[in-house]
Amino acid sequence: MLKKERHAFIIKQINLHNKVLSADLATALNVSEDTIRRDLMELDDSRQIVKVHGGALSKSFHYPFQHTDIYAVDAKKAIARKAIGLIKSGMMVLTGGGTTVLEMMQALPQNLAVTIFTISPLVALQLADHPLVTVILIGGEFSKDSQVCVGSQVVNYLHEIKFDICFLGTNGISIADGVTDSDLNIVHLKKAMINASHRLVVMCISEKLNSVQRMNVCPLSKVDYLITDLDPDSAVLDDYREKGIQLY
Amino acid sequence: MLKKERHAFIIKQINLHNKVLSADLATALNVSEDTIRRDLMELDDSRQIVKVHGGALSKSFHYPFQHTDIYAVDAKKAIARKAIGLIKSGMMVLTGGGTTVLEMMQALPQNLAVTIFTISPLVALQLADHPLVTVILIGGEFSKDSQVCVGSQVVNYLHEIKFDICFLGTNGISIADGVTDSDLNIVHLKKAMINASHRLVVMCISEKLNSVQRMNVCPLSKVDYLITDLDPDSAVLDDYREKGIQLY
DNA sequence: TATTACTATGCGGTTTTATGCAGGATTTAC
DNA sequence: GTAAATCCTGCATAAAACCGCATAGTAATA
């Protein structure tokens, strides 16, 4: 077995599985681990793979997300575009926090005159230079984790007003468990927001579809619209369509 | 499972959900929590995530503060340093908006445990990564000009609480007219803030000293402390000293 | 063909890395 | 204020990597 052959084999394995272990290669190729290690070194030196302790990884595997500031921006922008279509002039809109909502506010047309209530300081700041929008920031204890206002103050406030439409990003949505989240405060909050709104729009990037978090926010029956980055006719969404949710 | 694989998995999870819990990762990846903790440490060290007690948070979720457009930064930093000396652990602090206050919050010692009420979303966000501070954001209509919450909602709220100390930046202060400002909403607000606080700290860069704005906020007799970037013994401040204001 | 020079490989011993575990200290939650 | 969760520190262990060296192969050349 020539060195070149081993190298070819290793590259093939990595392309196949995205990773290899030194020990596996040693037995598979019937050479010592030192040899494998030296092979991996060379392939790393020639930038064909990335050597790590214990084996090697495919180059594309090496931190695929580092370059985008916000993850899945494009998907979120797509969702934002669709979501904006649901807003009509004169509406009272309620929004949560989250990057998807932020994208949405950034893309809000300049000629839309609405009142936006939000629990997210970031959303408020984002709308600061929008000429026609009135922004009401709902105050309360500021959660360092989720960067929104939470707590009973917010919940009480929400009891007193009725909104036309509520936009929520979500961390988990599935057929079986509906909308779920992982933070107790946020769950309380979202429940109150949902109850305070005439219609509910849930926004979810396709990667998060059918994922379940620890705590229950609301059943799917409460969701009026589900917006994803997918084609609304996609088969992936069939189950949601059958539940009577409007897809965008 | 190679370490890098775990790292990639963790980063993906964080990008998806904006946060992860160590315990969840440990079960998901079938390693001990110690290992996860060490992983999170490393990812934090390399600035890819933000480690917090119990897990980690997405970094991209932090608001990009741009301090480029702040006027007279050095003077404001000097003021901020002095102002912080007035805050003691356990206090209920009320703050306005403004760049001086922001500088102050940025310089707040990590070991200070206080509750900070603010009308400024920027202040809240600035304090997001401060471990011991509880932040209460006072909600209301968001003023696009001044980037703080204004309106009757805020004023009403302020009627109900009494604070130990209130920090205000100002656009005008003079012997004859006291503290003045140019925006009606802000004047209402500041009056309410002053009334709600046991002591009042006014912060003013020397350039704005002895300038007068259109509307009256409060007489000098209400001002307990005046903090400028000047030497407190400076002759420029003599008139204020004679009014019984504590200078810093 | 014998000599030489160079590369590739394996082996033993040492060092480093990765991980888990035990305990005590801290922090958080109720 | 107490209980539970989380963290930190030090330690133990096994795996992996490293280092030097011996040896085997390989190739070029006299």
PDB file of all heavy atoms in Angstrom, chain A residues 1-14 29 35-36 38-43 46 48-49, chain C residues 8-9:
ATOM      1  N   MET A   1       0.860  -1.221   0.000  1.00  0.00           N
ATOM      2  CA  MET A   1       0.000   0.000   0.000  1.00  0.00           C
ATOM      3  C   MET A   1       0.881   1.250   0.000  1.00  0.00           C
ATOM      4  O   MET A   1       1.648   1.494   0.917  1.00  0.00           O
ATOM      5  CB  MET A   1      -0.889  -0.027   1.248  1.00  0.00           C
ATOM      6  CG  MET A   1      -1.579   1.259   1.584  1.00  0.00           C
ATOM      7  SD  MET A   1      -3.059   1.615   0.667  1.00  0.00           S
ATOM      8  CE  MET A   1      -4.015   0.125   0.937  1.00  0.00           C
ATOM      9  N   LEU A   2       0.755   1.989  -1.040  1.00  0.00           N
ATOM     10  CA  LEU A   2       1.565   3.197  -1.166  1.00  0.00           C
ATOM     11  C   LEU A   2       0.957   4.358  -0.383  1.00  0.00           C
ATOM     12  O   LEU A   2      -0.230   4.364  -0.095  1.00  0.00           O
ATOM     13  CB  LEU A   2       1.688   3.589  -2.653  1.00  0.00           C
ATOM     14  CG  LEU A   2       2.954   3.150  -3.376  1.00  0.00           C
ATOM     15  CD1 LEU A   2       3.184   1.643  -3.167  1.00  0.00           C
ATOM     16  CD2 LEU A   2       2.836   3.451  -4.857  1.00  0.00           C
ATOM     17  N   LYS A   3       1.807   5.292  -0.106  1.00  0.00           N
ATOM     18  CA  LYS A   3       1.344   6.448   0.661  1.00  0.00           C
ATOM     19  C   LYS A   3       0.200   7.166  -0.067  1.00  0.00           C
ATOM     20  O   LYS A   3      -0.801   7.530   0.543  1.00  0.00           O
ATOM     21  CB  LYS A   3       2.516   7.393   0.911  1.00  0.00           C
ATOM     22  CG  LYS A   3       2.192   8.473   1.929  1.00  0.00           C
ATOM     23  CD  LYS A   3       3.425   9.119   2.512  1.00  0.00           C
ATOM     24  CE  LYS A   3       4.137   9.947   1.483  1.00  0.00           C
ATOM     25  NZ  LYS A   3       4.921  11.040   2.114  1.00  0.00           N
ATOM     26  N   LYS A   4       0.387   7.351  -1.353  1.00  0.00           N
ATOM     27  CA  LYS A   4      -0.640   8.057  -2.142  1.00  0.00           C
ATOM     28  C   LYS A   4      -1.988   7.345  -2.058  1.00  0.00           C
ATOM     29  O   LYS A   4      -3.039   7.973  -2.000  1.00  0.00           O
ATOM     30  CB  LYS A   4      -0.210   8.136  -3.609  1.00  0.00           C
ATOM     31  CG  LYS A   4       0.974   9.045  -3.842  1.00  0.00           C
ATOM     32  CD  LYS A   4       0.528  10.455  -4.241  1.00  0.00           C
ATOM     33  CE  LYS A   4       1.763  11.318  -4.458  1.00  0.00           C
ATOM     34  NZ  LYS A   4       1.461  12.734  -4.636  1.00  0.00           N
ATOM     35  N   GLU A   5      -1.923   6.030  -2.081  1.00  0.00           N
ATOM     36  CA  GLU A   5      -3.168   5.268  -1.993  1.00  0.00           C
ATOM     37  C   GLU A   5      -3.859   5.537  -0.664  1.00  0.00           C
ATOM     38  O   GLU A   5      -5.071   5.735  -0.608  1.00  0.00           O
ATOM     39  CB  GLU A   5      -2.871   3.773  -2.127  1.00  0.00           C
ATOM     40  CG  GLU A   5      -2.403   3.349  -3.504  1.00  0.00           C
ATOM     41  CD  GLU A   5      -2.175   1.845  -3.550  1.00  0.00           C
ATOM     42  OE1 GLU A   5      -3.151   1.095  -3.663  1.00  0.00           O
ATOM     43  OE2 GLU A   5      -0.997   1.432  -3.454  1.00  0.00           O
ATOM     44  N   ARG A   6      -3.058   5.510   0.396  1.00  0.00           N
ATOM     45  CA  ARG A   6      -3.628   5.801   1.713  1.00  0.00           C
ATOM     46  C   ARG A   6      -4.266   7.178   1.721  1.00  0.00           C
ATOM     47  O   ARG A   6      -5.391   7.358   2.181  1.00  0.00           O
ATOM     48  CB  ARG A   6      -2.535   5.722   2.776  1.00  0.00           C
ATOM     49  CG  ARG A   6      -2.132   4.335   3.198  1.00  0.00           C
ATOM     50  CD  ARG A   6      -1.479   4.364   4.568  1.00  0.00           C
ATOM     51  NE  ARG A   6      -0.515   5.449   4.688  1.00  0.00           N
ATOM     52  CZ  ARG A   6       0.768   5.343   4.344  1.00  0.00           C
ATOM     53  NH1 ARG A   6       1.244   4.210   3.862  1.00  0.00           N
ATOM     54  NH2 ARG A   6       1.565   6.367   4.496  1.00  0.00           N
ATOM     55  N   HIS A   7      -3.543   8.132   1.175  1.00  0.00           N
ATOM     56  CA  HIS A   7      -4.077   9.499   1.163  1.00  0.00           C
ATOM     57  C   HIS A   7      -5.406   9.548   0.423  1.00  0.00           C
ATOM     58  O   HIS A   7      -6.369  10.160   0.897  1.00  0.00           O
ATOM     59  CB  HIS A   7      -3.060  10.439   0.509  1.00  0.00           C
ATOM     60  CG  HIS A   7      -1.896  10.747   1.397  1.00  0.00           C
ATOM     61  ND1 HIS A   7      -1.025  11.777   1.143  1.00  0.00           N
ATOM     62  CD2 HIS A   7      -1.469  10.164   2.540  1.00  0.00           C
ATOM     63  CE1 HIS A   7      -0.100  11.802   2.100  1.00  0.00           C
ATOM     64  NE2 HIS A   7      -0.345  10.835   2.948  1.00  0.00           N
ATOM     65  N   ALA A   8      -5.449   8.915  -0.727  1.00  0.00           N
ATOM     66  CA  ALA A   8      -6.686   8.898  -1.503  1.00  0.00           C
ATOM     67  C   ALA A   8      -7.816   8.273  -0.684  1.00  0.00           C
ATOM     68  O   ALA A   8      -8.939   8.795  -0.636  1.00  0.00           O
ATOM     69  CB  ALA A   8      -6.466   8.127  -2.797  1.00  0.00           C
ATOM     70  N   PHE A   9      -7.475   7.178  -0.025  1.00  0.00           N
ATOM     71  CA  PHE A   9      -8.480   6.493   0.790  1.00  0.00           C
ATOM     72  C   PHE A   9      -8.999   7.413   1.893  1.00  0.00           C
ATOM     73  O   PHE A   9     -10.202   7.511   2.148  1.00  0.00           O
ATOM     74  CB  PHE A   9      -7.860   5.229   1.392  1.00  0.00           C
ATOM     75  CG  PHE A   9      -8.810   4.435   2.236  1.00  0.00           C
ATOM     76  CD1 PHE A   9      -9.695   3.541   1.648  1.00  0.00           C
ATOM     77  CD2 PHE A   9      -8.827   4.598   3.618  1.00  0.00           C
ATOM     78  CE1 PHE A   9     -10.579   2.814   2.430  1.00  0.00           C
ATOM     79  CE2 PHE A   9      -9.711   3.878   4.401  1.00  0.00           C
ATOM     80  CZ  PHE A   9     -10.590   2.983   3.808  1.00  0.00           C
ATOM     81  N   ILE A  10      -8.061   8.090   2.537  1.00  0.00           N
ATOM     82  CA  ILE A  10      -8.440   8.977   3.645  1.00  0.00           C
ATOM     83  C   ILE A  10      -9.354  10.091   3.153  1.00  0.00           C
ATOM     84  O   ILE A  10     -10.404  10.378   3.749  1.00  0.00           O
ATOM     85  CB  ILE A  10      -7.174   9.572   4.312  1.00  0.00           C
ATOM     86  CG1 ILE A  10      -6.404   8.459   5.030  1.00  0.00           C
ATOM     87  CG2 ILE A  10      -7.562  10.672   5.284  1.00  0.00           C
ATOM     88  CD1 ILE A  10      -5.025   8.891   5.518  1.00  0.00           C
ATOM     89  N   ILE A  11      -8.976  10.710   2.045  1.00  0.00           N
ATOM     90  CA  ILE A  11      -9.799  11.788   1.494  1.00  0.00           C
ATOM     91  C   ILE A  11     -11.202  11.279   1.186  1.00  0.00           C
ATOM     92  O   ILE A  11     -12.205  11.932   1.500  1.00  0.00           O
ATOM     93  CB  ILE A  11      -9.164  12.319   0.188  1.00  0.00           C
ATOM     94  CG1 ILE A  11      -7.789  12.922   0.452  1.00  0.00           C
ATOM     95  CG2 ILE A  11     -10.083  13.332  -0.476  1.00  0.00           C
ATOM     96  CD1 ILE A  11      -7.819  14.300   1.028  1.00  0.00           C
ATOM     97  N   LYS A  12     -11.248  10.112   0.617  1.00  0.00           N
ATOM     98  CA  LYS A  12     -12.535   9.531   0.270  1.00  0.00           C
ATOM     99  C   LYS A  12     -13.393   9.339   1.515  1.00  0.00           C
ATOM    100  O   LYS A  12     -14.578   9.686   1.536  1.00  0.00           O
ATOM    101  CB  LYS A  12     -12.300   8.187  -0.425  1.00  0.00           C
ATOM    102  CG  LYS A  12     -13.509   7.656  -1.177  1.00  0.00           C
ATOM    103  CD  LYS A  12     -13.080   6.497  -2.053  1.00  0.00           C
ATOM    104  CE  LYS A  12     -14.277   5.675  -2.532  1.00  0.00           C
ATOM    105  NZ  LYS A  12     -13.829   4.488  -3.286  1.00  0.00           N
ATOM    106  N   GLN A  13     -12.782   8.792   2.549  1.00  0.00           N
ATOM    107  CA  GLN A  13     -13.508   8.579   3.798  1.00  0.00           C
ATOM    108  C   GLN A  13     -14.045   9.891   4.357  1.00  0.00           C
ATOM    109  O   GLN A  13     -15.164   9.960   4.836  1.00  0.00           O
ATOM    110  CB  GLN A  13     -12.579   7.909   4.822  1.00  0.00           C
ATOM    111  CG  GLN A  13     -12.279   6.455   4.537  1.00  0.00           C
ATOM    112  CD  GLN A  13     -13.537   5.599   4.589  1.00  0.00           C
ATOM    113  OE1 GLN A  13     -14.266   5.623   5.574  1.00  0.00           O
ATOM    114  NE2 GLN A  13     -13.788   4.857   3.515  1.00  0.00           N
ATOM    115  N   ILE A  14     -13.197  10.904   4.276  1.00  0.00           N
ATOM    116  CA  ILE A  14     -13.613  12.184   4.846  1.00  0.00           C
ATOM    117  C   ILE A  14     -14.740  12.797   4.031  1.00  0.00           C
ATOM    118  O   ILE A  14     -15.690  13.360   4.576  1.00  0.00           O
ATOM    119  CB  ILE A  14     -12.410  13.150   4.939  1.00  0.00           C
ATOM    120  CG1 ILE A  14     -11.520  12.694   6.097  1.00  0.00           C
ATOM    121  CG2 ILE A  14     -12.865  14.573   5.148  1.00  0.00           C
ATOM    122  CD1 ILE A  14     -10.531  13.714   6.535  1.00  0.00           C
ATOM    123  N   LEU A  29      -6.295   0.333   7.311  1.00  0.00           N
ATOM    124  CA  LEU A  29      -5.203   0.338   6.342  1.00  0.00           C
ATOM    125  C   LEU A  29      -4.032  -0.537   6.796  1.00  0.00           C
ATOM    126  O   LEU A  29      -3.034  -0.669   6.087  1.00  0.00           O
ATOM    127  CB  LEU A  29      -4.723   1.770   6.095  1.00  0.00           C
ATOM    128  CG  LEU A  29      -5.771   2.700   5.471  1.00  0.00           C
ATOM    129  CD1 LEU A  29      -5.304   4.135   5.490  1.00  0.00           C
ATOM    130  CD2 LEU A  29      -6.057   2.256   4.039  1.00  0.00           C
ATOM    131  N   THR A  35       1.905   6.369  11.393  1.00  0.00           N
ATOM    132  CA  THR A  35       1.853   6.592   9.949  1.00  0.00           C
ATOM    133  C   THR A  35       0.609   7.387   9.568  1.00  0.00           C
ATOM    134  O   THR A  35       0.688   8.368   8.834  1.00  0.00           O
ATOM    135  CB  THR A  35       1.853   5.235   9.216  1.00  0.00           C
ATOM    136  OG1 THR A  35       3.039   4.547   9.567  1.00  0.00           O
ATOM    137  CG2 THR A  35       1.795   5.437   7.726  1.00  0.00           C
ATOM    138  N   ILE A  36      -0.507   6.949  10.102  1.00  0.00           N
ATOM    139  CA  ILE A  36      -1.754   7.674   9.836  1.00  0.00           C
ATOM    140  C   ILE A  36      -1.621   9.122  10.262  1.00  0.00           C
ATOM    141  O   ILE A  36      -1.996  10.044   9.535  1.00  0.00           O
ATOM    142  CB  ILE A  36      -2.928   7.008  10.592  1.00  0.00           C
ATOM    143  CG1 ILE A  36      -3.187   5.606  10.036  1.00  0.00           C
ATOM    144  CG2 ILE A  36      -4.168   7.869  10.488  1.00  0.00           C
ATOM    145  CD1 ILE A  36      -3.630   5.585   8.597  1.00  0.00           C
ATOM    146  N   ARG A  38       0.996  10.887  10.498  1.00  0.00           N
ATOM    147  CA  ARG A  38       1.847  11.630   9.560  1.00  0.00           C
ATOM    148  C   ARG A  38       1.086  11.910   8.256  1.00  0.00           C
ATOM    149  O   ARG A  38       1.195  12.999   7.686  1.00  0.00           O
ATOM    150  CB  ARG A  38       3.124  10.852   9.308  1.00  0.00           C
ATOM    151  CG  ARG A  38       4.145  11.074  10.428  1.00  0.00           C
ATOM    152  CD  ARG A  38       5.475  10.394  10.149  1.00  0.00           C
ATOM    153  NE  ARG A  38       5.460   8.995  10.569  1.00  0.00           N
ATOM    154  CZ  ARG A  38       6.275   8.495  11.523  1.00  0.00           C
ATOM    155  NH1 ARG A  38       7.149   9.271  12.126  1.00  0.00           N
ATOM    156  NH2 ARG A  38       6.218   7.227  11.848  1.00  0.00           N
ATOM    157  N   ASP A  39       0.285  10.952   7.835  1.00  0.00           N
ATOM    158  CA  ASP A  39      -0.533  11.176   6.633  1.00  0.00           C
ATOM    159  C   ASP A  39      -1.473  12.372   6.849  1.00  0.00           C
ATOM    160  O   ASP A  39      -1.556  13.272   6.009  1.00  0.00           O
ATOM    161  CB  ASP A  39      -1.370   9.924   6.323  1.00  0.00           C
ATOM    162  CG  ASP A  39      -0.518   8.804   5.742  1.00  0.00           C
ATOM    163  OD1 ASP A  39       0.601   9.103   5.281  1.00  0.00           O
ATOM    164  OD2 ASP A  39      -0.969   7.648   5.759  1.00  0.00           O
ATOM    165  N   LEU A  40      -2.143  12.341   7.973  1.00  0.00           N
ATOM    166  CA  LEU A  40      -3.108  13.412   8.245  1.00  0.00           C
ATOM    167  C   LEU A  40      -2.407  14.764   8.316  1.00  0.00           C
ATOM    168  O   LEU A  40      -2.932  15.775   7.848  1.00  0.00           O
ATOM    169  CB  LEU A  40      -3.860  13.121   9.549  1.00  0.00           C
ATOM    170  CG  LEU A  40      -4.741  11.854   9.540  1.00  0.00           C
ATOM    171  CD1 LEU A  40      -5.425  11.678  10.889  1.00  0.00           C
ATOM    172  CD2 LEU A  40      -5.781  11.912   8.436  1.00  0.00           C
ATOM    173  N   MET A  41      -1.228  14.758   8.905  1.00  0.00           N
ATOM    174  CA  MET A  41      -0.421  15.980   8.954  1.00  0.00           C
ATOM    175  C   MET A  41      -0.222  16.544   7.554  1.00  0.00           C
ATOM    176  O   MET A  41      -0.443  17.724   7.306  1.00  0.00           O
ATOM    177  CB  MET A  41       0.963  15.679   9.542  1.00  0.00           C
ATOM    178  CG  MET A  41       0.979  15.410  11.023  1.00  0.00           C
ATOM    179  SD  MET A  41       0.689  16.913  11.974  1.00  0.00           S
ATOM    180  CE  MET A  41       1.191  16.325  13.585  1.00  0.00           C
ATOM    181  N   GLU A  42       0.199  15.669   6.678  1.00  0.00           N
ATOM    182  CA  GLU A  42       0.512  16.128   5.320  1.00  0.00           C
ATOM    183  C   GLU A  42      -0.738  16.666   4.620  1.00  0.00           C
ATOM    184  O   GLU A  42      -0.698  17.721   3.990  1.00  0.00           O
ATOM    185  CB  GLU A  42       1.112  14.977   4.503  1.00  0.00           C
ATOM    186  CG  GLU A  42       2.535  14.665   4.908  1.00  0.00           C
ATOM    187  CD  GLU A  42       3.076  13.424   4.194  1.00  0.00           C
ATOM    188  OE1 GLU A  42       2.716  13.218   3.023  1.00  0.00           O
ATOM    189  OE2 GLU A  42       3.823  12.660   4.833  1.00  0.00           O
ATOM    190  N   LEU A  43      -1.822  15.943   4.774  1.00  0.00           N
ATOM    191  CA  LEU A  43      -3.067  16.385   4.139  1.00  0.00           C
ATOM    192  C   LEU A  43      -3.563  17.693   4.742  1.00  0.00           C
ATOM    193  O   LEU A  43      -4.199  18.503   4.071  1.00  0.00           O
ATOM    194  CB  LEU A  43      -4.132  15.300   4.276  1.00  0.00           C
ATOM    195  CG  LEU A  43      -3.856  14.033   3.469  1.00  0.00           C
ATOM    196  CD1 LEU A  43      -4.823  12.916   3.870  1.00  0.00           C
ATOM    197  CD2 LEU A  43      -3.977  14.317   1.982  1.00  0.00           C
ATOM    198  N   SER A  46      -1.367  20.477   3.317  1.00  0.00           N
ATOM    199  CA  SER A  46      -1.775  20.850   1.958  1.00  0.00           C
ATOM    200  C   SER A  46      -3.241  21.290   1.913  1.00  0.00           C
ATOM    201  O   SER A  46      -3.857  21.329   0.864  1.00  0.00           O
ATOM    202  CB  SER A  46      -1.537  19.696   0.995  1.00  0.00           C
ATOM    203  OG  SER A  46      -2.274  18.558   1.399  1.00  0.00           O
ATOM    204  N   GLN A  48      -6.068  20.037   2.651  1.00  0.00           N
ATOM    205  CA  GLN A  48      -7.121  19.195   2.106  1.00  0.00           C
ATOM    206  C   GLN A  48      -8.101  18.750   3.178  1.00  0.00           C
ATOM    207  O   GLN A  48      -9.251  18.465   2.894  1.00  0.00           O
ATOM    208  CB  GLN A  48      -6.519  17.971   1.421  1.00  0.00           C
ATOM    209  CG  GLN A  48      -5.564  18.357   0.296  1.00  0.00           C
ATOM    210  CD  GLN A  48      -5.161  17.138  -0.511  1.00  0.00           C
ATOM    211  OE1 GLN A  48      -4.059  16.651  -0.398  1.00  0.00           O
ATOM    212  NE2 GLN A  48      -6.081  16.658  -1.325  1.00  0.00           N
ATOM    213  N   ILE A  49      -7.617  18.680   4.406  1.00  0.00           N
ATOM    214  CA  ILE A  49      -8.473  18.302   5.525  1.00  0.00           C
ATOM    215  C   ILE A  49      -8.079  19.159   6.723  1.00  0.00           C
ATOM    216  O   ILE A  49      -7.139  19.945   6.645  1.00  0.00           O
ATOM    217  CB  ILE A  49      -8.302  16.810   5.898  1.00  0.00           C
ATOM    218  CG1 ILE A  49      -6.865  16.572   6.374  1.00  0.00           C
ATOM    219  CG2 ILE A  49      -8.631  15.917   4.720  1.00  0.00           C
ATOM    220  CD1 ILE A  49      -6.637  15.187   6.924  1.00  0.00           C
TER     221      ILE A  49
ATOM    222  P    DA C   8       8.324  10.115   1.788  1.00  0.00           P
ATOM    223  OP1  DA C   8       7.275  10.342   0.772  1.00  0.00           O
ATOM    224  OP2  DA C   8       8.571  11.092   2.856  1.00  0.00           O
ATOM    225  O5'  DA C   8       8.043   8.708   2.464  1.00  0.00           O
ATOM    226  C5'  DA C   8       8.240   7.531   1.709  1.00  0.00           C
ATOM    227  C4'  DA C   8       8.054   6.323   2.607  1.00  0.00           C
ATOM    228  O4'  DA C   8       9.259   6.099   3.379  1.00  0.00           O
ATOM    229  C3'  DA C   8       6.914   6.492   3.623  1.00  0.00           C
ATOM    230  O3'  DA C   8       6.111   5.334   3.576  1.00  0.00           O
ATOM    231  C2'  DA C   8       7.627   6.653   4.970  1.00  0.00           C
ATOM    232  C1'  DA C   8       8.927   5.902   4.744  1.00  0.00           C
ATOM    233  N9   DA C   8      10.065   6.396   5.519  1.00  0.00           N
ATOM    234  C8   DA C   8      10.506   7.693   5.623  1.00  0.00           C
ATOM    235  N7   DA C   8      11.579   7.831   6.374  1.00  0.00           N
ATOM    236  C5   DA C   8      11.857   6.536   6.799  1.00  0.00           C
ATOM    237  C6   DA C   8      12.872   6.010   7.621  1.00  0.00           C
ATOM    238  N6   DA C   8      13.826   6.744   8.184  1.00  0.00           N
ATOM    239  N1   DA C   8      12.877   4.672   7.829  1.00  0.00           N
ATOM    240  C2   DA C   8      11.916   3.932   7.267  1.00  0.00           C
ATOM    241  N3   DA C   8      10.912   4.310   6.464  1.00  0.00           N
ATOM    242  C4   DA C   8      10.940   5.639   6.272  1.00  0.00           C
ATOM    243  P    DT C   9       4.786   5.263   4.428  1.00  0.00           P
ATOM    244  OP1  DT C   9       3.845   4.413   3.673  1.00  0.00           O
ATOM    245  OP2  DT C   9       4.404   6.603   4.883  1.00  0.00           O
ATOM    246  O5'  DT C   9       5.251   4.422   5.690  1.00  0.00           O
ATOM    247  C5'  DT C   9       5.777   3.109   5.474  1.00  0.00           C
ATOM    248  C4'  DT C   9       6.341   2.581   6.769  1.00  0.00           C
ATOM    249  O4'  DT C   9       7.478   3.357   7.170  1.00  0.00           O
ATOM    250  C3'  DT C   9       5.371   2.624   7.962  1.00  0.00           C
ATOM    251  O3'  DT C   9       5.017   1.292   8.276  1.00  0.00           O
ATOM    252  C2'  DT C   9       6.166   3.300   9.083  1.00  0.00           C
ATOM    253  C1'  DT C   9       7.594   3.237   8.566  1.00  0.00           C
ATOM    254  N1   DT C   9       8.501   4.323   9.027  1.00  0.00           N
ATOM    255  C2   DT C   9       9.610   3.990   9.762  1.00  0.00           C
ATOM    256  O2   DT C   9       9.897   2.849  10.062  1.00  0.00           O
ATOM    257  N3   DT C   9      10.404   5.067  10.131  1.00  0.00           N
ATOM    258  C4   DT C   9      10.191   6.403   9.842  1.00  0.00           C
ATOM    259  O4   DT C   9      10.963   7.261  10.223  1.00  0.00           O
ATOM    260  C5   DT C   9       9.002   6.675   9.064  1.00  0.00           C
ATOM    261  C7   DT C   9       8.676   8.077   8.705  1.00  0.00           C
ATOM    262  C6   DT C   9       8.216   5.639   8.702  1.00  0.00           C
TER     263       DT C   9
END
